[in-house]
């Protein structure tokens, strides 16, 4: 007990315990408030489901039943209906009656009868599925998952309940665990409590245990007991918050809530467990995984004595492994330890009995790892490598800059930054691999569907041609000529069908370039369909497979997609998965209805047709090669992560002299001016920041090249041109005009896009470096200074975004969003003349030089600043 009190004294700061208690309370309370203030529009959702069910009960009739309606007398004499067909017809009638009740009561929000009708419909659909007639509108897996939940709603007289959106306390607790038990929070607990507990065991002062009557193993056991108490307080705080919500707001008993069935259909089958079982298993698995992670961090630290860096690396690698697992449902096997990290989904898709038995594995790992940590011989820790500092061999003009660089290396700051870049690289490579799988699967799905359509048409044509050959000799001469014309047209179509089917098979085998001609025809048809008033080319009618109607709102996307393809054709660039058409910035969007306030498609277009149109264009035109992945650092705004790294680790090198160990006392007695010290620190942080930025691009480029090849330097990117610029441009300008809309764009090759992006990023890094050092001269607290710089940058960008004015295009804040500058989106939407990459580079250089001039003036104050 005395040892536990000793560990408690190390965390005597009340703020730490308040953080541990308040974070779960805030998460639970915030989720409840969010769901209360943003209620789900259940009425609209249920009405949409009810209307879609008409396809299952009203429009889908068995073929035999349809034949019986056409010729009842003959049918009854020759082929009477079977019991199965009669049962199907009976279920169809009962389902339509229940569907009508479901639809009407959803409109009037009579949820008790809605649930009753829905239960009847779901039961009918399950029986129809068993008879070989699955639902065409709703996934049968979803129906099986919901059936037991709807039964629970009816039995307990509960009206509306969405487990992910309800404000009932037990469900809020389960949803809060998605945040509280996430991997980042897990490693934050290790960072705030595990590292302070165990890091001292690697220091010389820990050898006091050798001269005290206490075993080393007992010290470790007490430390782990204390860490378990921390987890107990953390989880207990969330449970307490949930229980308080139950006492204050719930109208449903806690035992009833915990009996709610959480069914989940997956490749492992349908498994059902109650909400109470799910909560219990999640808590136990989270505690075991946290202890396993803590033990792994400690064991790794024996070989590399830096627990902070090891925690960061293990945390990022675990998150990346989890992303890989989540990208492929087949990886959620019981033996895959990384699948355990997704505690909720992993528990839901497996049997509760198997999960309970499986918990013995992490428990055994905890005991084994704990044994090695506790009873590891002390001499083993002496095998850790030590760092050696050789010093600077020769003094020269760059002595102070080299000194700063060596300081970054000696303090492991550079190692932390490189670790962050490695994590960024692995993350982008993982996401690229995952996206490549999604794109390939979508292409295969589209191609197989297209191949099925062509194959059916081919079989119908063969059948019709065979029938024509059979009857052509038994008809009149006039009919023979007509039949022969039809037969000749079929014979001309057969080679085309065979060629198309061969292309489909070759594309499915991995040769995507054979699909270029089909993509070209599709994109040209889309453009003609929306730009040609008669939808005809040379007398033949042109239609689109994805555009619902010929309307001007669909013109920009069609024209841009065709221009992209022609650019690729001119520069010998191959097929890009999943194939056109692609998503662009000028894609039409849902519009808010003035009457209902709900998002609706543009006027005159049905919801299903518009949804199909958008789904066909859900991917942007982007490859995943090395060059394209390097561009994605800019396009996906990953550069913000790089800026955070260089700002935290390098751009605070001057303010740290005042804040932490106050080494400014030593610098003050050096025979150097403060202006000289400040200038060299500023220059050192800038140079290493630029090196980190360029290194990030190189690492990501190499990763993408290993995964998907180098790529093409001429890969096309779209840049939108402001109307005020496009109107003034002459006929020889590179701008492409969108017909009838007076909108302009141009195609930019990748090499130019990348150079402009890297240039903007480097000068912005210089600007941020100057800004942080400017704030360092005003604020001598590191984190407060960083917070102030962030407020200036975020506040400035928010200002120019929310209240855009023409003069604001000469401020540096617009250029923080580099992708919108390179694509011209901001200039296009705001109709700005001077907002482009080249003027941006010049402006930011001017602002940086201005800040440098101000820094030289302000640094003189630090010569006389009191350092007491």
């Amino acid at each position: 007990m005395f040892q536990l009190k000793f560990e408690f004294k190390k965390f005597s700061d009340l703020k730490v315990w308040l953080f541990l208690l308040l974070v779960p309370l805030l998460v639970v309370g915030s989720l409840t408030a969010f769901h209360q203030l943003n209620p789900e529009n259940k009425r609209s959702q249920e009405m949409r489901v009810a209307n879609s069910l008409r396809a299952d009960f009203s429009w889908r009739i068995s073929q035999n039943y349809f034949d019986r309606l056409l010729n009842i007398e003959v049918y009854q004499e020759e082929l009477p209906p079977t019991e199965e067909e009669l049962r199907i017809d009976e279920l169809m009638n009962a389902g339509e009656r229940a569907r009508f009740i479901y639809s009407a009561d959803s409109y009037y929000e009579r949820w008790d009868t809605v649930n009753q009708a829905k239960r009847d419909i779901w039961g009918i659909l399950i029986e129809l599925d068993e008879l070989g007639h699955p639902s065409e509108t709703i996934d049968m897996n979803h129906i099986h998952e919901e059936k037991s939940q709807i039964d629970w709603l009816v039995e307990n007289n509960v009206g509306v309940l969405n487990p992910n959106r309800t404000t009932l306390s037990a469900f809020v607790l389960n949803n809060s665990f998605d945040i509280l038990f996430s991997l980042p929070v897990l490693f934050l607990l290790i960072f705030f409590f595990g590292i302070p507990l165990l890091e001292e065991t690697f220091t010389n002062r820990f050898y006091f245990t050798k001269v005290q009557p206490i075993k080393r193993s007992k010290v470790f056991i007490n430390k782990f007991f204390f860490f378990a108490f921390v987890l107990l307080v953390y989880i207990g705080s969330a449970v307490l918050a949930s229980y308080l919500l139950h006492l204050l707001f719930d109208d449903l008993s806690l035992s009833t809530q915990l009996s709610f069935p959480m069914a989940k259909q997956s490749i492992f089958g349908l498994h059902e467990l109650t909400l109470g079982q799910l909560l219990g298993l999640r808590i136990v698995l989270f505690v075991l995984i946290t202890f396993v992670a803590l033990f792994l961090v400690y064991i790794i630290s024996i070989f590399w004595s830096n627990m902070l860096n090891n925690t960061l690396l293990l945390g990022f690698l675990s998150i990346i492994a989890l992303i890989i697992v989540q990208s492929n449902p087949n990886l959620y096997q019981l033996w895959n330890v990384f699948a355990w990290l997704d505690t909720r989904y992993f528990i839901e898709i497996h049997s509760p009995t198997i999960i309970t038995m499986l918990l013995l594995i992490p428990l055994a790992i905890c005991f084994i790892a704990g044994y090695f940590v506790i009873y590891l011989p002390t001499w083993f820790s002496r095998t850790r490598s030590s760092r050696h500092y050789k010093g600077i061999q020769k003094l020269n003009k760059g002595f102070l800059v080299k000194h700063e660089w060596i300081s970054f290396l000696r303090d492991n700051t550079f190692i932390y930054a490189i670790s962050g870049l490695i994590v960024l690289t692995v993350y982008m490579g993982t996401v690229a691999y995952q996206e490549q799988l999604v794109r390939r699967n979508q292409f295969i799905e589209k191609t197989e569907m297209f191949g099925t359509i062509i194959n059916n048409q081919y079989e119908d044509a063969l059948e019709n041609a065979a029938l024509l050959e059979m009857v052509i000799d038994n008809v009149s001469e006039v009919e023979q000529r007509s039949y022969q014309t039809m037969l000749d047209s079929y014979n001309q179509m057969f080679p085309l069908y065979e060629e198309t089917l061969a292309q489909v098979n070759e594309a499915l085998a991995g040769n995507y370039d054979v699909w270029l001609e089909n993509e070209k025809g599709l994109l040209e048809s889309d453009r003609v369909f929306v730009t040609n008033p008669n939808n005809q080319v040379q007398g033949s009618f042109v239609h689109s497979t994805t555009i619902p109607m010929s309307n001007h709102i669909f013109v920009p996307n069609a024209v841009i997609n065709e221009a992209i393809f022609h650019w690729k054709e001119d520069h010998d660039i191959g097929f890009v998965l999943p194939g056109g058409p692609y998503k662009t910035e000028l894609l039409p969007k849902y519009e808010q209805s003035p009457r209902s306030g709900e998002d609706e498609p543009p006027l005159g277009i049905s919801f299903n047709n518009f949804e199909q149109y958008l789904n066909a264009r859900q991917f942007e035109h982007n490859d995943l090669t090395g060059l394209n992945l390097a561009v994605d650092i800019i396009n996906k705004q990953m550069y913000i992560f790089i800026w955070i790294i260089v700002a935290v680790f390098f751009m605070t090198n001057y303010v740290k002299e005042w804040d932490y160990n106050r080494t400014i006392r030593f610098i003050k007695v050096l025979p150097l001016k403060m202006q000289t010290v400040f200038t060299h620190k500023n220059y050192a942080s800038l140079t290493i920041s630029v090196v980190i930025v360029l290194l990030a691009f190189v690492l990501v480029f190499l990763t993408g090249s290993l995964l998907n090849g180098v790529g093409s330097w001429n890969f096309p990117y779209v840049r939108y041109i402001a109307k005020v610029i496009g109107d003034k441009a002459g006929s020889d300008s590179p701008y492409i005009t969108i017909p009838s809309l007076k909108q302009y764009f141009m195609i930019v090759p990748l090499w130019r896009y990348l150079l402009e992006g890297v240039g903007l990023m480097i000068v912005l890094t210089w600007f941020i470096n100057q800004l942080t050092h400017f704030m360092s001269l005003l604020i001598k607290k590191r984190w407060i200074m960083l917070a102030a710089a962030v407020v200036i940058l975020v506040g400035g960008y928010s200002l120019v975004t929310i209240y855009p004015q023409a003069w604001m295009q000469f401020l540096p804040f617009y250029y923080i969003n580099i992708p919108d500058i390179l694509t011209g989106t901001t200039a296009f939407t705001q109709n700005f003349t001077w907002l482009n990459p080249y003027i941006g580079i010049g402006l930011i250089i001017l602002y940086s030089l201005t800040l440098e001039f101000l820094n030289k003036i302000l640094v003189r104050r630090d010569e006389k600043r009191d350092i007491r």
Side-chain angles (χ1 to χ4, degrees):
M1 185 61 68
F2 171 77
Q3 287 297 321
L4 280 176
K5 291 181 179 179
F6 181 73
E7 300 296 341
F8 270 103
K9 289 181 180 179
K10 297 176 183 176
F11 297 90
S12 58
D13 190 355
L14 186 61
K15 296 178 182 177
V16 176
W17 295 102
L18 285 176
F19 170 80
L20 195 65
L21 289 168
L22 291 179
V23 167
L25 290 171
L26 289 174
V27 170
V28 174
S30 300
L31 279 177
T32 305
F34 177 79
H35 293 159
Q36 189 69 37
L37 296 174
N38 298 275
E40 187 179 17
N41 190 351
K42 195 71 173 176
R43 175 174 174 270
S44 174
Q45 180 182 345
E46 295 294 348
M47 286 182 62
R48 184 179 300 170
V49 174
N51 293 333
S52 65
L53 283 170
R54 286 184 297 182
D56 288 309
F57 298 127
S58 296
W59 299 340
R60 189 185 58 166
I61 305 175
S62 63
Q63 186 62 41
N64 289 334
Y65 183 62
F66 184 76
D67 294 338
R68 192 162 65 251
L69 291 176
L70 292 178
N71 196 345
I72 298 176
E73 296 179 359
V74 176
Y75 190 91
Q76 288 179 345
E77 293 176 1
E78 298 182 0
L79 189 62
T82 63
E83 293 183 2
E84 180 178 320
E85 290 174 341
L86 291 174
R87 179 58 180 164
I88 290 173
D89 296 336
E90 181 183 348
L91 291 173
M92 291 284 187
N93 293 330
E96 176 56 25
R97 288 194 296 270
R99 190 206 64 79
F100 179 80
I101 298 173
Y102 177 25
S103 177
D105 289 341
S106 296
Y107 180 81
Y108 292 106
E109 299 185 359
R110 294 193 288 260
W111 300 118
D112 292 338
T113 52
V114 165
N115 291 333
Q116 182 65 50
K118 198 172 180 180
R119 178 167 71 168
D120 296 339
I121 293 171
W122 263 223
I124 290 171
L125 290 176
I126 290 174
E127 188 172 351
L128 285 172
D129 181 47
E130 294 172 354
L131 295 174
H133 292 267
S135 173
E136 295 181 353
T137 57
I138 303 177
D139 186 13
M140 291 304 302
N141 292 334
H142 177 72
I143 292 174
H144 285 288
E145 289 177 6
E146 272 201 346
K147 182 63 171 63
S148 58
Q149 298 177 359
I150 297 173
D151 292 338
W152 182 90
L153 294 175
V154 174
E155 292 170 1
N156 294 282
N157 296 321
V158 178
V160 181
L161 177 63
N162 183 344
N164 297 321
R165 295 294 300 272
T166 182
T167 56
L168 292 175
S169 57
F171 294 92
V172 172
L173 179 64
N174 184 49
N175 295 328
S176 68
F177 282 171
D178 294 339
I179 300 173
L180 298 175
F181 289 178
S182 61
L183 278 180
V185 175
L186 184 151
F187 283 96
L188 280 176
L189 289 173
I190 294 176
F191 174 77
F192 284 113
F193 295 96
I195 292 179
L197 275 174
L198 297 176
E199 193 173 29
E200 65 173 8
T201 60
F202 293 107
T203 60
N204 292 329
R205 66 175 180 270
F206 187 68
Y207 286 103
F208 78 95
T209 55
K210 290 185 176 181
V211 297
Q212 288 191 353
I214 183 172
K215 293 183 179 180
R216 181 178 184 272
S217 59
K218 190 173 182 180
V219 174
F220 275 91
I221 290 173
N222 282 300
K223 289 180 179 294
F224 295 142
F225 268 116
F226 177 80
F227 190 74
F229 176 77
V230 168
L231 295 181
L232 179 64
V233 172
Y234 179 70
I235 298 171
S237 177
V239 175
L240 177 62
S242 175
Y243 185 69
L244 291 176
L245 289 175
H246 170 70
L247 295 177
L248 294 174
F249 304 109
D250 284 358
D251 53 2
L252 197 65
S253 68
L254 196 59
S255 59
T256 305
Q257 295 181 42
L258 295 177
S259 65
F260 181 81
M262 303 290 290
K264 195 72 174 180
Q265 180 78 34
S266 67
I267 60 174
F268 305 102
L270 178 66
H271 296 290
E272 186 177 306
L273 72 165
T274 64
L275 178 61
Q277 291 174 324
L278 178 62
L279 290 172
L281 291 173
R282 290 187 73 180
I283 291 173
V284 174
L285 189 58
F286 171 75
V287 171
L288 293 177
I289 290 175
T290 306
F291 268 102
V292 169
L294 180 64
F295 293 147
L296 286 176
V297 169
Y298 185 84
I299 292 173
I300 296 172
S301 299
I302 293 174
F303 303 95
W304 187 9
S305 59
N306 193 317
M307 290 195 71
L308 173 61
N309 201 34
N310 296 335
T311 303
L312 291 174
L313 282 178
L314 185 62
F316 284 125
L317 292 176
S318 301
I319 292 173
I320 291 168
L322 180 59
I323 292 173
I324 296 175
V325 170
Q326 289 175 337
S327 66
N328 187 357
N330 294 320
L331 295 178
Y332 280 92
Q333 303 289 340
L334 293 172
W335 49 264
N336 188 357
V337 294
F338 296 109
W340 303 353
L341 302 177
D342 190 357
T343 56
R344 178 171 181 171
Y345 186 74
F346 182 73
I347 293 172
E348 286 179 344
I349 64 175
H350 292 291
S351 169
T353 305
I354 295 177
I355 293 294
T356 305
M357 297 175 61
L358 191 70
L359 291 177
L360 297 175
I361 296 178
L363 185 63
I365 295 175
C366 280
F367 277 112
I368 295 172
Y371 177 83
F372 278 103
V373 169
I374 294 172
Y375 296 100
L376 210 59
T378 55
W379 59 265
F380 195 61
S381 62
R382 297 173 188 172
T383 62
R384 294 180 285 113
S385 61
S386 58
R387 295 182 296 271
H388 300 282
Y389 173 60
K390 298 181 180 180
I392 300 174
Q393 298 178 357
K394 182 179 180 181
L395 299 179
N396 51 41
K397 294 182 179 180
F399 166 72
L400 290 176
V401 176
K402 288 185 177 180
H403 178 267
E404 286 298 314
W405 274 70
I406 292 174
S407 298
F408 292 141
L409 294 173
R410 186 174 63 242
D411 297 339
N412 289 330
T413 308
F414 191 75
I415 295 177
Y416 296 153
I418 296 298
S419 302
L421 292 186
I422 293 174
V423 169
L424 173 67
T425 304
V426 176
Y427 171 77
M428 292 195 67
T430 304
V431 172
Y433 174 74
Q434 180 181 357
E435 186 176 342
Q436 185 80 350
L437 289 178
V438 175
R439 286 171 176 260
R440 185 181 294 115
N441 291 336
Q442 190 188 55
F443 171 76
I444 291 174
E445 182 180 348
K446 288 165 52 177
T447 308
E448 286 179 342
M449 185 180 300
F450 178 78
T452 302
I453 295 173
I454 296 299
N455 188 60
N456 292 337
Q457 293 176 355
Y458 183 40
E459 290 179 353
D460 292 341
L462 287 173
E463 184 178 351
N464 294 335
L467 290 173
L468 288 173
E469 290 178 350
M470 291 174 58
V471 302
I472 194 170
D473 296 330
N474 302 324
V475 296
S476 65
E477 185 176 351
V478 176
E479 290 178 334
Q480 281 185 357
R481 287 197 296 268
S482 175
Y483 284 3
Q484 186 62 45
T485 302
M486 295 172 61
L487 191 59
D488 292 340
S489 65
Y490 279 128
N491 290 329
Q492 291 176 2
M493 291 168 58
F494 290 153
L496 296 177
Y497 281 131
E498 293 170 356
E499 182 182 356
T500 304
L501 290 174
Q503 290 178 351
V504 168
N505 294 328
E506 196 170 350
L508 292 176
N511 185 9
Y512 304 127
D513 287 338
V514 300
W515 211 247
L516 285 172
E517 284 300 319
N518 293 311
E519 183 183 17
K520 179 180 180 180
L522 175 65
L523 297 180
E524 289 181 347
S525 298
D526 285 352
R527 195 263 307 163
V528 172
F529 181 73
V530 294
T531 56
N532 194 316
N534 299 319
N535 298 336
Q536 291 186 359
V537 176
Q538 296 179 352
S540 61
F541 183 78
V542 177
H543 71 282
S544 172
T545 58
T546 57
I547 300 178
M549 61 187 298
S550 181
N551 193 306
H552 70 277
I553 64 173
F554 302 117
V555 171
N557 182 265
V559 172
I560 293 172
N561 271 289
E562 188 183 29
I564 290 174
F565 183 86
H566 288 317
W567 174 280
K568 292 194 299 181
E569 193 175 33
D570 294 339
H571 293 85
D572 296 326
I573 299 174
F575 185 79
V576 177
L577 289 171
Y582 301 96
K583 180 181 179 182
T584 63
E585 291 294 331
L586 301 184
L587 201 65
K589 300 178 176 61
Y590 286 100
E591 301 170 354
Q592 191 177 49
S593 171
R595 289 186 295 178
S596 64
E598 299 176 7
D599 288 340
E600 295 181 353
L603 186 64
I605 304 172
S606 68
F607 180 87
N608 291 334
N609 288 339
F610 194 64
E611 188 78 11
Q612 180 185 3
Y613 172 81
L614 294 180
N615 289 336
R617 292 158 178 80
Q618 59 179 311
F619 286 105
E620 294 181 352
H621 182 261
N622 186 28
D623 210 346
L624 299 172
T625 60
L627 290 171
N628 293 96
L629 208 60
V631 172
D632 279 350
I633 293 180
I634 299 170
N635 285 345
K636 296 184 178 179
Q637 297 183 332
M638 292 297 176
Y639 57 85
I640 294 177
F641 177 73
I642 302 173
W643 282 344
I644 292 173
I645 290 177
V646 297
V648 171
F649 290 138
F650 304 119
M651 295 181 183
T652 57
N653 58 342
Y654 181 72
V655 74
K656 282 195 299 185
E657 306 288 0
W658 294 82
D659 189 15
Y660 285 138
N661 297 323
R662 300 187 67 80
T663 48
I664 192 65
R665 297 175 181 273
F666 169 72
I667 294 175
K668 283 277 190 177
V669 299
L670 291 176
L672 296 170
K673 293 181 179 180
M674 286 301 299
Q675 184 172 346
T676 303
V677 173
F678 177 84
T679 301
H680 284 83
K681 284 183 175 293
N682 190 345
Y683 181 71
S685 65
L686 174 61
T687 53
I688 199 168
S689 298
V690 172
V691 169
I692 293 295
V693 168
L694 296 177
L695 187 60
F697 280 96
V698 171
L699 289 176
V700 172
F701 165 74
L702 293 175
T703 302
S705 299
L706 291 174
L707 291 174
N708 299 300
V710 175
S712 172
W713 288 100
N714 290 311
F715 189 88
Y717 285 92
V718 179
R719 175 167 297 166
Y720 304 94
I721 307 300
K723 187 175 184 299
V724 65
I725 298 177
D727 290 343
K728 296 178 181 178
S731 59
D732 58 343
S733 69
Y735 306 149
I736 303 172
T737 305
I738 298 175
S740 73
L741 294 178
K742 281 293 186 178
Q743 293 176 335
Y744 307 91
F745 70 96
M746 64 180 296
I747 304 296
V748 179
L750 182 144
W751 63 266
R752 176 179 169 183
Y753 191 94
L754 185 60
L755 282 178
E756 293 170 350
V758 173
L760 271 174
M761 190 171 174
I762 289 176
V763 295
L764 280 168
T765 304
W766 182 20
F767 174 74
I768 295 173
N769 181 71
Q770 296 300 108
L771 178 63
T772 53
H773 281 82
F774 175 76
M775 300 305 297
S776 298
L777 295 171
L778 301 177
I779 303 173
K780 299 303 181 184
K781 296 293 183 181
R782 181 189 184 189
W783 295 110
I784 297 177
M785 182 275 295
L786 283 175
V790 169
V791 167
I792 292 173
L793 294 172
V794 175
Y797 179 72
S798 302
L799 177 65
V800 299
T801 304
I802 298 172
Y803 304 105
Q805 301 293 331
W807 61 269
M808 289 183 177
Q809 59 187 308
F810 298 103
L811 296 178
F813 303 112
Y814 268 124
Y815 297 94
I816 295 175
N817 192 350
I818 301 178
D820 281 2
I821 300 299
L822 297 179
T823 60
T825 304
T826 304
F828 179 83
T829 55
Q830 302 299 335
N831 202 21
F832 285 159
T833 306
W834 306 103
L835 198 66
N836 62 65
Y838 304 106
I839 293 179
I841 290 174
L843 277 175
I844 295 168
I845 290 175
L846 181 62
Y847 279 108
S848 301
L849 291 174
T850 303
L851 283 174
E852 186 171 357
F853 175 74
L854 294 175
N855 290 339
K856 290 182 178 180
I857 296 176
L858 290 177
V859 75
R860 297 174 184 172
R861 297 195 315 168
D862 285 349
E863 294 279 2
K864 303 176 182 179
R865 183 183 288 270
D866 188 5
I867 61 174
R868 289 179 296 176

